[in-house]
Amino acid sequence: MPLSAARPSRVQHTDEAVRGRDIQRATIVAIITNATLSVAQVAIGLFANAFSLVADAAHTLSDLVTDLLVLLAGRRGADPADTNHPYGHGRIETATTMLLGGVLAAVGIGFLWSSGLRLQNMGAQPGLHPAALVMALLTLAAKEGLFRFTLAAARRLNAPMLEANAWHARSDAASSLVVAAGIGGSLAGYPFLEPLAAAVVGFLILHMGLRLAWKAVRELIDTGLSEEELARIRQTIEQTPGVIGLHDMRTRRMADRVLCDAHVQVAPRLTVSEGHRVSDAVYLRVRSAHPEVQDVLVHIDPEDDGDLQTVPPGPLPERDEVVAMVHALLGTDAVEPKRIQIHYLGNRVDVEVLLPAALPPDSESALQRRRQAWLAEHAHYRSISFYGQSAP
């Protein structure tokens, strides 16, 4: 009968805890940076009569909210599996990534909208103090540095949620660039530069937000790996000793991890223990060759159950029925069989019976006649074989 095998990772909890702490550290750096910048932007913006700088400070404050979301998700996403979440909490990262993608898309639309309004009211800009331009340039440098720091951490930790937050920092850097261009253009006598730059940045941010949100949606609806990734995992399984076939392999993502299950075909008359050993080998090889795979569910098949050879003649007998049949064929005076092995193959039943010793010739002939008569009357039995043990 088929076996299913799955092994919990012994080091997964430790790795996830370290990864979660690294995500939190990167996010705390972003929180401190955004808090400092927002206070400075408000102060300089009010002093320099730069309302665009004050608006950019409000945008920076919105980053604090998303940073807190990332911090919370990083802590919860690293929690180990429990009764209610047997696969862990990785989808918290996915949901947060989708939320941040939506925020980026909204910010992009906001830039497009504001740029249109500014183009219609280009003569209504107040006089600015040069300190506003200095603050805008400092903000731009800080935001760009924060973007590069967070993006590097996201790629090192393979954290899409952190990558989304990095691009959110880039969107803030873009807004600071827009503010700097607008302030510089106003000081130089070219006020139209700000709305044009805002439109370009708006398109870029909108595209990035939609891309990240769509990636999260694909994960939430259990989209499988690419054909190239599937081919690599399939090759690893097929090269495992004892595997003679593979079918019905499925995969899905959960944050940075991959869950996989596959039907593995082995020789049809392997023992249960040997089939279990093959499943263990498949599990260990896949986990070793593909570190992104968190878990592998291996279903052992003695044949390709997607293409059974014959139409079943009816319900196949269960083990207790087969055992009763063997005792009936042997007779009431026969010795107890040492082992009865049943093979369900091709919608038929093969039975192998090991006796403590060979039967006398007369008893063996009588048993063969009863066996042949039984096979002729019961189509769901393909063969019944009796063997006598010759050595202990």
Side-chain angles (χ1 to χ4, degrees):
M1 296 180 67
L3 303 175
S4 294
R7 304 289 178 271
S9 172
R10 296 176 180 175
V11 298
Q12 189 71 30
H13 292 174
T14 301
D15 293 343
E16 287 302 305
V18 172
R19 178 175 176 271
R21 287 195 295 269
D22 288 343
I23 291 176
Q24 293 170 35
R25 292 192 188 99
T27 306
I28 289 174
V29 171
I31 291 174
I32 295 175
T33 301
N34 286 327
T36 303
L37 287 176
S38 60
V39 172
Q41 284 177 304
V42 170
I44 298 299
L46 294 177
F47 167 76
N49 198 30
F51 296 104
S52 60
L53 199 58
V54 177
D56 194 39
H59 188 196
T60 303
L61 286 173
S62 72
D63 272 357
L64 288 176
V65 177
T66 57
D67 289 339
L68 292 173
L69 286 175
V70 171
L71 185 62
L72 176 62
R75 288 181 176 176
R76 293 289 297 155
D79 289 346
D82 54 33
T83 302
N84 294 326
H85 305 88
Y87 290 98
H89 298 76
R91 287 285 169 85
I92 294 178
E93 292 188 23
T94 308
T96 305
T97 299
M98 184 170 63
L99 177 61
L100 293 183
V103 171
L104 283 174
V107 170
I109 294 174
F111 275 130
L112 292 173
W113 179 264
S114 63
S115 65
L117 294 179
R118 290 175 183 177
L119 284 171
Q120 297 178 20
N121 300 278
M122 294 178 59
Q125 301 295 328
L128 302 177
H129 191 282
L133 179 59
V134 175
M135 186 66 229
L137 293 175
L138 289 176
T139 301
L140 173 61
K143 284 293 184 179
E144 181 65 19
L146 181 61
F147 160 73
R148 296 180 182 275
F149 168 79
T150 308
L151 185 63
R155 291 176 176 174
R156 184 181 73 254
L157 300 171
N158 193 18
M161 171 190 64
L162 202 58
E163 181 178 354
N165 207 38
W167 283 104
H168 197 177
R170 167 60 68 87
S171 77
D172 237 14
S175 71
S176 298
L177 176 63
V178 169
V179 171
I183 294 174
S186 296
L187 293 174
Y190 301 99
F192 64 89
L193 292 177
E194 180 182 3
L196 289 180
V200 173
V201 172
F203 277 116
L204 294 176
I205 296 174
L206 177 61
H207 175 266
M208 181 58 61
L210 293 177
R211 187 177 69 84
L212 290 172
W214 176 241
K215 181 180 179 181
V217 168
R218 283 171 54 85
E219 182 178 324
L220 289 175
I221 61 176
D222 286 337
T223 302
L225 300 181
S226 67
E227 187 56 40
E228 292 77 12
E229 294 172 302
L230 288 176
R232 289 194 293 269
I233 297 177
R234 188 178 295 114
Q235 183 180 25
T236 300
I237 295 176
E238 291 175 340
Q239 292 177 349
T240 302
V243 174
I244 63 175
L246 171 65
H247 57 280
D248 293 343
M249 189 175 76
R250 301 182 298 179
T251 59
R252 57 192 174 102
R253 286 194 176 275
M254 181 176 289
D256 65 311
R257 298 173 294 279
V258 174
L259 304 178
C260 174
D261 58 82
H263 286 223
V264 171
Q265 185 179 350
V266 299
R269 297 181 187 273
L270 291 187
T271 61
V272 171
S273 59
E274 189 174 358
H276 190 272
R277 180 178 175 84
V278 173
S279 73
D280 282 347
V282 170
Y283 175 87
L284 294 173
R285 278 174 171 255
V286 172
R287 288 294 310 277
S288 176
H290 309 276
E292 73 277 10
V293 177
Q294 176 190 12
D295 199 8
V296 187
L297 179 65
V298 183
H299 180 90
I300 296 295
D301 282 330
E303 56 190 335
D304 188 349
D305 53 9
D307 185 24
L308 293 178
Q309 296 89 338
T310 59
V311 177
L316 298 180
E318 300 295 336
R319 182 173 183 83
D320 56 349
E321 301 177 61
V322 176
V323 171
M325 178 273 299
V326 169
H327 284 92
L329 292 179
L330 289 172
T332 56
D333 296 333
V335 295
E336 181 71 19
K338 296 197 66 173
R339 183 165 62 245
I340 300 175
Q341 290 187 320
I342 308 171
H343 304 283
Y344 294 90
L345 301 170
N347 285 319
R348 294 293 192 277
V349 178
D350 294 311
V351 183
E352 297 176 354
V353 183
L354 178 63
L355 301 175
L359 296 175
D362 292 344
S363 299
E364 183 177 351
S365 297
L367 175 60
Q368 293 300 335
R369 288 193 296 271
R370 292 192 296 270
R371 181 186 67 85
Q372 291 173 1
W374 179 274
L375 291 174
E377 296 176 1
H378 299 82
H380 40 268
Y381 284 88
R382 179 188 290 110
S383 67
I384 304 173
S385 303
F386 293 89
Y387 303 94
Q389 185 172 344
S390 61

